[in-house]
Amino acid sequence: MEFKRVTLENIEEEHICCAISDKKGETCVASKKAWMKERLKEGLVFEKLDVRGKVFIEYLPAEYAWVPVDADGYYYIDCLWVSGQYKGQGYSSQLLEHCIAVARANGKKGLVILSSKKKMPFLSDGSYLKHKGFVTADTAAPYFELMALPFEEGTALPRFLECAKTGETDEKGWVLYYTAQCPHTSKYVPILAEYARTQGIEIKTVKLESREAARRAPSPFTTYSLFYDGKFVTNEILSEKSFEKYRKKV
C-alpha cells in the first residue's frame, strides 16, 4: 500500500483519517479540513496511508504550530497515529522516517512532539519516541513532556512557554480550551456543553481561533484541555459518561 500526501488540490476528496464521515448535522470533518487548508499554506504536511483508516502523520514548521512552544527551526508533529488493523506493521516507523527525511531536506534542526510521563489519550507514546531517539526537552504540569529529536549534537532544545508550564489559570468553574485542529473536538465539545447545561452545570468553552491565541494557552495540549477552578483536569476528549467520572473526582 502506498502513502499519499493531502494537498489543497485533493483535500476535498481525501479521507483525513480521524473521522470517517460527518453524520447528518455534524461538521467535524468540514471543520478540520477548513483548519487544514489554512495550515497547508503555512507548510503543514499531512501524509497518510492510502486507505480509509487511521494511519497518518501531521506536522508543520514549529513557528506555525498552534501550541505554546518555543521550537524555531524544528518541525512540530501535531499527530502521529496508527491504529486498528494497521498497528504492528511498521507504518509508524515509516511515517516518522519520512518526516525525518523531509525535515533534513528542508534544513530543519529536528523534530518536536508532545508526549506525557505516562501513556495518555491523544498524546504520543513516550517510550516509543525514546526508542526512536527522542529526548525529553521540557516538562509541564501535570504530566506533559516535550520530546525532541535534534539532528545535530549541541542544538538548542525546544521548550514550553511559561503560560503553559503550571497547569493553572485564573478562571473559576469549568473551562474548556480547544481548537478546530481535531475533528473529535468539533463533535464532542457541543455535546459536553449541552449535557452540562441539562445538569445545571456551567462550562465555559474557549475556542482558540488563531495561532497567537493558542500560543497563549494555559495548557500544552491546545486541541482540548479541561480546567476546573483554575486547575488542569484532563486532555481526554470527553463524552457525557467520562465527564461524570472527572466531575466526581474534583
Side-chain angles (χ1 to χ4, degrees), residues 177-234:
Y177 298 87
Y178 72 104
T179 70
Q181 183 176 325
C182 177
H184 292 283
T185 62
S186 294
K187 178 174 182 176
Y188 286 103
V189 167
I191 289 175
L192 179 59
E194 175 59 20
Y195 173 74
R197 187 191 65 78
T198 65
Q199 301 300 306
I201 303 167
E202 183 178 350
I203 292 185
K204 179 181 178 181
T205 59
V206 181
K207 187 175 183 180
L208 304 171
E209 300 274 13
S210 68
R211 181 174 66 253
E212 291 74 22
R215 285 178 58 80
R216 296 192 299 268
S219 168
F221 194 70
T222 55
T223 305
Y224 187 107
S225 282
L226 182 66
F227 287 75
Y228 180 70
D229 278 351
K231 300 290 185 181
F232 177 84
V233 176
T234 186

Side-chain angles (χ1 to χ4, degrees), residues 60-77 103 106-113 137 146-152 154-161 211-212 215:
L60 75 170
E63 296 88 333
Y64 293 102
W66 284 40
V67 287
V69 166
D70 181 3
D72 286 4
Y74 284 78
Y75 267 141
Y76 185 88
I77 300 175
N106 288 329
K108 296 299 180 182
K109 296 177 181 177
L111 307 179
V112 61
I113 188 170
L146 192 63
M147 306 290 291
L149 181 68
F151 295 152
E152 300 290 341
T155 301
L157 294 176
R159 63 179 181 85
F160 289 123
L161 299 183
R211 181 174 66 253
E212 291 74 22
R215 285 178 58 80

Side-chain angles (χ1 to χ4, degrees), residues 117 138-146 160-161 164-167 219-220:
K117 295 177 182 177
D138 201 359
T139 60
Y143 49 67
F144 294 106
E145 288 192 328
L146 192 63
F160 289 123
L161 299 183
K165 291 279 286 181
T166 64
S219 168

